[in-house]
Amino acid sequence: KAGVTQTPRYLIKTRGQQVTLSCSPISGHRSVSWYQQTPGQGLQFLFEYFSETQRNKGNFPGRFSGRQFSNSRSEMNVSTLELGDSALYLCASSLGGVDGYTFGSGTRLTVV
Amino acid sequence: AQSVTQPDIHITVSEGASLELRCNYSYGATPYLFWYVQSPGQGLQLLLKYFSGDTLVQGIKGFEAEFKRSQSSFNLRKPSVHWSDAAEYFCAVGFVQGAQKLVFGQGTRLTINP
């Protein structure tokens, strides 16, 4: 079966711009979670969506937001980009819990 | 606060040698524990997981891990490493009540000498 698909793979944005990243989960998976990976902070939980509802949110500023559509695809948005937002953003899908995560290959965001 | 510690940032072993990667966690209850591997520029692949039962769990690619409650540890082992095992390895604790999320350790980068 197809895995978790994240698009685009690479992005370069300028400070102050906004960006939208997309995640298509495995068919049948209703939970989509997002993680940020940086060399300094490691892997940090951003938020989780289940059946179009945000169930949990990590400790990130309000500039980070997301949504999930009825087909379970998810998008995350970062507004007013800062240099520190440069990171690998990973999406994981599951049927409904952390025990069945499948990760995508990530989107590498570079803010200049 | 819940946390995961991987004491070794970087480990180098020779091909064919045995491997042990350390992981300690701080969590108020019996945790769900995971080991993931990440190759450069890629996402995370699950190696193995522990929820309950037998404390020695087998995973993919010949890896195993042992849960030791008394030491709050979940160390990853492999009896003989291959050059293709070179990657970064992450230990994680899963929260399954309330917030469904993983808390990751900082990772251990594994280098294999030929």
Side-chain angles (χ1 to χ4, degrees), chain B residues 9 17-20 27 38-40 43 45 51-52 61 67 69 73 80 92 94 102-103:
Chain B
I9 295 174
S18 63
L19 172 71
E20 182 169 32
Y27 186 56
Q38 184 179 37
S39 298
Q45 181 182 24
F51 295 157
S52 64
K61 303 185 180 186
F67 169 61
R69 185 190 306 275
S73 69
S80 176
L102 294 178
V103 173

Side-chain angles (χ1 to χ4, degrees), chain B residues 64-111:
Chain B
E64 67 177 26
E66 186 171 14
F67 169 61
K68 292 186 177 180
R69 185 190 306 275
S70 61
Q71 299 177 19
S72 296
S73 69
F74 188 57
N75 295 348
L76 182 72
R77 301 193 294 249
K78 187 170 185 178
S80 176
V81 299
H82 185 263
W83 63 266
S84 60
D85 293 324
E88 188 142 22
Y89 292 79
F90 293 92
C91 180
V93 169
F95 293 79
V96 295
Q97 293 179 352
Q100 292 271 344
K101 67 176 185 181
L102 294 178
V103 173
F104 288 89
Q106 285 296 103
T108 297
R109 185 161 61 93
L110 175 64
T111 299

